[in-house]
């Protein structure tokens, strides 16, 4: 082990917030054992009983909203407003799960010849989650609440940057009435994480993060034949078609790119605009981007806070510079500011083309890639040319046409028509291609980590 502690650092002041010693292998093993012990009782509790605890977690999240929001903003630099909204979303996930979980997970009678049969959704055991820093609460809540409703135990390895948020959530769940130890938090290295995946008591693995890490984790789980859900990155395309409402498209695409300091898997990232609208879109978009207020994320007027870390900022800047070197046009931003805080200005790249990082890869920060398409068909072709496929959007006044494009042609897991959004508790969330597989939220998410067991009774 090269480093003895996990360290959290405020991205605004660059000062250390806290350090957390790594757990020894034995300590990590104890967290697994405690979760398994609590699981033995939890799995026997009725669906309604479990739903009551989930509802109480939702209430507790609302009660502690301000405290949690302040901690998240401190750890990762999110706008305080976004942190508060995030806690509200987590509480809404608890509400949805508590009210729909018992029905979704109830036993189902099935027709079979000459016998009676039913399917029961049995818990599987402990689900291990590996999560990123960009939504310290939501990332951990969305898989854990579904798995707890299903009767499983849950472990969390959070990203180093938001270690405090992971611990906060564990304590909050227990204060709300979740059995002690059922939801365990691990302070471990990536090597130790590999051993957790192999541990006999771990029955499923869910990971949100980069496709690079996802490949490693899924391969490890594959070696020991354990189911995975992967929620990975993307470079979501928003199509601005010939008949788009241009004002709405510009305004929404600006907000969709800058939301959460530009560090969201489903941020709008590539804007594919047909020739008819291209010049006007670039001009209006750049004007709005150039006016974005960057500053302290706690200040109500701030629209863009600092990026989470020095390394993420450097990576983004390298991608912007390489894109420009390969022919992209820098319309605004693109310069690394001096001074404290890991700020990066709202940046617009136009004439983005194949071969440039802004076209091929994910830019995980406040930099927009604008791409010119010949016509509507060409825009759809460019969008689907990505190796990613998480979300996307369509701007068109012809909603019927947009619905068809979304349903039949858009090769992603989610599509937003004439809007930008992140997640809804009732709608499946997840991607295709290099954006991963499996779903969170909705009935689909509730059934990811259950044993759909078939039981047939003769006669
Ligand atoms: P990352 O993959 O580096 O880290 C994410 C988590 O995985 C962290 O907890 C990290 O410690 C852990 N991790 C990384 N390598 C690991 C390994 N070998 N073994 C065990 N754990 C490992 O991602 P990041 O750069 O911190 O986060 C940003 C990425 O996450 C972006 O690509 C973004 O699009 C993606 N993301 C996806 C979603 C989604 O729902 N699809 C949501 C948020 C973020």
């Amino acid at each position: 082990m090269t480093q003895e502690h996990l360290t959290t650092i405020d991205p605004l002041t660059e000062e250390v917030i806290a350090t957390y010693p790594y757990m020894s292998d034995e300590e990590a093993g104890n967290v697994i054992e405690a979760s398994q012990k609590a699981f033995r009782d939890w799995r026997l509790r009725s669906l309604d009983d479990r739903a009551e605890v989930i509802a109480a977690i939702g209430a507790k999240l609302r009660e502690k909203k301000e405290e949690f929001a302040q901690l998240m903003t401190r750890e990762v630099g999110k706008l305080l407003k976004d942190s508060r909204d995030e806690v509200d979303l987590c509480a809404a996930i608890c509400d949805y799960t508590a009210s729909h979980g018992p029905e979704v997970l109830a036993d189902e009678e099935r027709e079979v010849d000459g016998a009676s049969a039913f399917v029961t959704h049995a818990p599987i055991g402990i689900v291990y989650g590996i999560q990123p820093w960009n939504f310290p609460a939501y990332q951990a809540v969305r898989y854990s609440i579904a798995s707890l409703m299903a009767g499983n135990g849950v472990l969390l390895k959070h990203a180093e940057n938001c270690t405090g948020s992971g611990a906060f959530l564990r304590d909050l769940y227990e204060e709300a009435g979740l059995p002690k130890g059922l939801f365990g938090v691990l302070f471990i290295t990536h090597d130790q994480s590999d051993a957790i995946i192999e541990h006999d008591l771990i029955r499923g693995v869910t990971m949100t993060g980069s496709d690079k890490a996802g490949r490693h984790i899924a391969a490890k789980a594959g070696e020991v034949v354990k189911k995975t859900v992967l929620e990975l990155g993307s470079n979501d395309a928003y199509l601005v078609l010939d008949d788009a409402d241009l004002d709405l498209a510009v305004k929404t695409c600006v907000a969709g790119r800058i939301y959460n300091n530009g560090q969201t898997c489903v941020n709008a990232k590539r804007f594919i605009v047909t020739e008819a609208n291209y010049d006007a879109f670039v001009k209006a978009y750049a004007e709005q981007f150039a006016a974005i207020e960057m500053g302290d994320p706690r200040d109500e007027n701030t629209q863009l806070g600092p990026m989470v870390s020095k390394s993420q900022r450097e990576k983004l800047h390298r991608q912007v510079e390489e894109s420009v070197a390969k022919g992209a046009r820098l319309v605004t931003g693109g310069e690394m500011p001096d001074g404290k805080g890991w700020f990066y200005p709202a940046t617009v790249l136009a004439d983005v083309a194949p071969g440039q990082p802004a076209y091929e890869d994910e830019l995980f920060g406040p930099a927009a890639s604008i791409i010119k398409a010949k016509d509507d068909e060409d825009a759809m072709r460019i969008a689907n040319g990505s190796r990613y496929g998480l979300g996307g959007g369509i701007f068109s006044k012809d909603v019927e046409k947009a619905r068809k494009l979304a349903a039949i042609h858009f090769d992603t897991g989610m599509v937003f028509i004439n809007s930008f959004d992140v997640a809804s508790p009732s709608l499946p969330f997840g991607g295709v291609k290099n954006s991963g597989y499996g779903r969170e939220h909705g009935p689909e998410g509730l059934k990811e980590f259950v044993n759909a067991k078939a039981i047939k009774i003769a006669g």
Side-chain angles (χ1 to χ4, degrees):
M1 206 181 288
T2 49
Q3 194 187 328
E4 285 176 357
H5 292 92
L6 290 156
T7 306
T8 52
I9 304 175
D10 185 333
L12 177 71
T13 61
E14 302 180 28
E15 279 162 15
V16 170
I17 304 168
T19 57
Y20 305 81
Y22 277 110
M23 289 174 170
S24 65
D25 294 345
E26 194 189 340
E27 285 167 328
N30 292 341
V31 174
I32 299 178
E33 295 289 345
S35 181
Q36 179 70 13
K37 183 163 176 275
F39 162 69
R40 282 192 209 107
D41 291 330
W42 181 248
R43 63 185 285 274
L44 301 176
R45 302 221 348 218
S46 72
L47 286 162
D48 286 337
D49 209 2
R50 285 184 225 143
E52 231 173 80
V53 177
I54 302 291
I57 293 175
K60 190 56 86 180
L61 279 162
R62 290 192 172 98
E63 187 189 314
K64 298 212 152 194
K65 174 167 149 179
E66 192 56 29
E67 195 185 340
F68 204 179
Q70 293 281 353
L71 173 62
M72 288 196 283
T73 290
R74 193 137 185 254
E75 288 195 321
V76 303
K78 291 170 84 87
L79 298 188
L80 194 50
K81 177 189 159 304
D82 289 347
S83 293
R84 291 182 183 130
D85 289 350
E86 183 175 337
V87 182
D88 285 338
L89 174 60
C90 292
I93 290 168
C94 294
D95 295 348
Y96 173 87
T97 307
S99 61
H100 295 270
E103 195 190 324
V104 171
L105 296 169
D107 290 352
E108 279 174 46
E109 298 294 322
R110 290 282 171 91
E111 276 186 29
V112 283
D113 282 343
S116 63
F118 69 101
V119 175
T120 196
H121 303 104
I124 55 170
I126 304 177
V127 175
Y128 173 42
I130 301 170
Q131 300 300 325
W133 42 265
N134 58 346
F135 291 88
Y138 165 71
Q139 292 295 350
V141 162
R142 68 177 185 179
Y143 81 96
S144 64
I145 289 298
S147 265
L148 293 168
M149 181 67 232
N152 296 317
V154 177
L155 296 182
L156 166 67
K157 190 213 84 62
H158 223 327
E160 178 171 12
N161 321 60
C162 59
T163 305
S165 294
F168 187 94
L169 199 63
R170 175 198 58 205
D171 297 346
L172 185 151
Y173 279 11
E174 289 185 3
E175 271 177 55
L178 193 75
K180 202 165 168 39
L182 185 64
F183 175 70
V185 173
L186 296 163
F187 299 156
I188 53 171
T189 64
H190 292 172
D191 287 344
Q192 285 175 299
S193 171
D194 285 350
I196 302 287
I197 293 171
E198 286 169 5
H199 196 291
D200 282 345
L201 292 177
I202 301 301
R203 298 286 294 269
V205 181
T206 178
M207 188 265 177
T208 298
S210 58
D211 51 319
K212 179 169 174 259
R215 278 192 185 90
H216 173 86
I217 288 157
K220 256 289 142 229
E223 276 171 23
V224 284
V225 199
K226 292 186 186 174
K227 176 172 173 166
T228 45
V229 165
L230 295 181
E231 300 281 6
L232 309 177
S234 189
N235 54 6
D236 286 359
Y238 277 62
L239 314 186
V240 182
L241 302 183
D242 278 347
D243 65 353
D245 174 336
L246 202 59
D247 287 345
L248 175 73
V250 171
K251 192 174 79 177
T252 313
C253 292
V254 166
R257 177 63 284 212
I258 218 72
Y259 170 69
N260 202 36
N261 298 336
Q263 301 168 121
T264 306
C265 50
V266 283
N267 268 128
K269 293 181 184 136
R270 291 180 300 150
F271 304 99
I272 307 179
V273 187
T274 59
E275 268 172 15
N277 289 316
Y278 189 76
D279 291 340
F281 182 91
V282 172
K283 184 167 179 287
Y285 194 97
E287 272 168 19
Q288 292 190 22
F289 242 50
I292 282 168
E293 282 283 332
M294 191 161 73
D296 185 335
R298 290 163 198 83
D299 187 332
E300 274 186 17
N301 297 321
T302 300
Q303 294 167 288
L304 179 62
M307 292 186 64
V308 71
S309 64
K310 190 165 183 263
S311 60
Q312 289 285 338
R313 177 171 76 157
E314 279 168 0
K315 181 175 178 198
L316 178 66
H317 190 52
R318 273 199 308 276
Q319 289 173 310
V320 167
E321 288 198 312
E322 192 185 326
S323 298
V324 173
K326 289 185 170 164
R329 176 160 55 98
L330 180 65
V331 191
T332 185
E335 260 184 53
M336 191 86 97
D338 294 329
K340 273 256 177 291
W342 294 313
F343 289 99
Y344 198 76
T347 297
V348 176
L349 295 170
D351 307 344
V352 168
Q356 302 165 5
Y359 189 97
E360 310 287 350
D361 303 325
E362 178 183 43
L363 303 193
F364 212 58
S369 308
I370 309 182
I371 300 167
K372 190 193 278 188
K374 280 201 282 298
D375 50 28
D376 293 356
E377 205 180 306
D378 192 37
M380 191 69 262
R381 178 192 64 79
I382 294 168
N384 285 339
S386 170
R387 70 176 190 279
Y388 294 113
L390 190 58
I394 301 171
F395 285 89
S396 166
K397 287 184 188 143
D398 184 346
V399 172
E400 262 319 299
K401 176 177 79 180
R403 282 176 68 125
K404 265 198 201 136
L405 261 185
I408 301 169
H409 298 290
F410 221 132
D411 196 8
T412 62
M414 298 163 280
V415 183
F416 301 101
I417 296 173
N418 292 325
S419 66
F420 165 77
D421 201 358
V422 178
S424 306
S426 63
L427 288 178
F429 183 107
V432 297
K433 300 194 271 183
N434 282 189
S435 294
Y437 48 78
R439 292 294 179 268
E440 314 236 27
H441 301 318
E444 294 83 0
L446 275 165
K447 287 186 179 169
E448 279 292 359
F449 290 105
V450 297
N451 172 8
K453 201 191 289 185
I455 299 169
K456 194 169 164 183
I457 309 128

